[in-house]
Amino acid sequence: MNQKKLVVLGAAESGVGAAILAQKQGYDVFVSDMSMIKEKYKKELTENNIPFEEGQHTSSEIVTAEEVIKSPGIPDKAEIIKSLHKKHIPVISELEFAKRYTNAKMICITGTNGKTTTTLLTHHILQKAGFNVGLGGNVGKSFAMQVATQNYDYYVLELSSFQLDGMFDFKADIAILTNITPDHLDRYEYQLQNYISSKFRITRNQQAADHFIYCADDPITMQEIVKHTYSSQLHPFSIYKTEGMTAWLENEQLTIELNNQFTMSIKDLGLQGKHNIYNSMAAGIAARALEIRKDVVRESFADFENIEHRLEFVNSVHGIDFINDSKATNVNSTWYALESMQKPVVWIAGGVDKGNDYAILIELVKQHVKAIVCLGKDNKKIIEAFKDIVPEIFETESAEAAVREAYKLGKKGDVVLLSPCCASFDLFENYEDRGRQFKAAVRLL
């Protein structure tokens, strides 16, 4: 019997997981990565006798595939993807592929901001409720690897727009859209509508028994939602409106009206700040849709701890607080961070600009920011945007230099906030590396 040939492009977490699952399902698998493959992934491929190449894509080998799974990091305009499309060879995501081999229920979360926190909180609630649940997508382990090696009944998956682009037959039983603000526009021909359409793919294939949870306070979501009809049950949430909402805020009480009413004081939430009320509402609706008991939801809300690199308190040095928000790789994430600050801010920002419009930050910067320390190779856009508002702007090219400069500028009662607004690839491996270097530098003070 001829084995079906499957090529996996990209040999990091998702690609290696997909390759191992494909091999287990009897495919003839080949893995190709344009970059050098990290040792731990190379070891997994070698141990499983999966042939691979690194530092190149051998086109003649790749175009003989019957199907290709591509890493979310590879854009559609890459030459190899264009040549596959020309030959009508299907190019799908790891998620699309892995879903074929599991009947587990899918709770899927996307959005420009808040998706990681919402994903981890939702997973935390399900675990606490005793569900046999996996965590994957953009966080945790590869979804495909878990399908290959585990037997979960539920998955909580964080999905980026890039992952959703490769989704065709996949269906979310519960879909959460936290919000949409301009991001990654370089991948979407600088057309916001293309990015919006990507995010809305999370509702694809949903039926009457499924749930779509979304933020009624997000203008872009609300403009888009009226353009479509939905088979699924719709659950809007808001902190400003009550009518027609599944979850709302009134007199500092968070209320969820689904399978009986749930209420809880926002003062008792483990996650504080306005953006986290939204995240809690979204996760809470998902939990109630699964009929998880109210006391379990309440307890989970109270004892959940925030993720690393998202408004993470690092240390207080001579009365100056240092906060690591390295995960803020776009303007809107930084907007949330600045909005939640109660003290004067020395703001560390910069990196690889993804087509940012800093205008939405101007009012908050006027209110909160006393000085800016740029951390990037090209800071022109940030300097241009804020030079007339912030009297002191300094440039640095390492986390250590940025922390030292910010410390000099701060005084007792101030906050040094790393909330870069930008991707990290000019000076760091990724946002985690940037956050860890920032924390290490703070500890050296």
Side-chain angles (χ1 to χ4, degrees), residues 241-352:
K241 302 185 272 256
T242 57
E243 202 174 322
M245 297 297 117
T246 303
W248 64 89
L249 184 66
E250 204 171 14
N251 303 325
E252 300 202 323
Q253 291 286 316
L254 186 161
T255 300
I256 300 171
E257 185 69 74
L258 182 60
N259 298 324
N260 297 324
Q261 198 177 78
F262 166 93
T263 57
M264 181 172 178
S265 165
I266 58 168
K267 291 192 175 80
D268 297 331
L269 295 175
L271 294 175
Q272 288 295 307
K274 189 165 89 179
H275 55 294
N276 281 321
I277 297 172
Y278 286 128
N279 298 337
S280 301
M281 283 178 173
I285 295 170
R288 296 299 291 142
L290 293 166
E291 299 188 3
I292 291 174
R293 291 200 336 262
K294 289 189 267 190
D295 59 330
V296 175
V297 177
R298 187 171 285 107
E299 203 179 303
S300 304
F301 276 174
D303 68 8
F304 181 73
E305 290 178 0
N306 203 1
I307 53 174
E308 194 182 10
H309 313 299
R310 193 75 188 95
L311 289 171
E312 175 194 10
F313 177 77
V314 180
N315 205 354
S316 195
V317 184
H318 296 125
I320 303 169
D321 291 346
F322 287 80
I323 292 175
N324 167 26
D325 194 40
S326 183
K327 198 172 188 302
T329 59
N330 59 54
V331 175
N332 204 258
S333 284
T334 296
W335 187 93
Y336 279 122
L338 287 172
E339 197 234 9
S340 65
M341 292 297 122
Q342 309 293 323
K343 300 172 177 178
V345 175
V346 178
W347 175 31
I348 302 177
V352 181

Side-chain angles (χ1 to χ4, degrees), residues 379-388 393:
N379 307 303
K380 284 197 294 287
K381 222 171 138 184
I382 290 177
I383 293 167
E384 193 52 43
F386 302 111
K387 66 175 197 271
D388 298 332
I393 301 180

Side-chain angles (χ1 to χ4, degrees), residues 25 49 53 136 204 247 250 321 357:
Q25 296 298 332
N49 298 316
E53 65 175 354
R204 198 179 168 90
E250 204 171 14
D321 291 346
D357 176 5

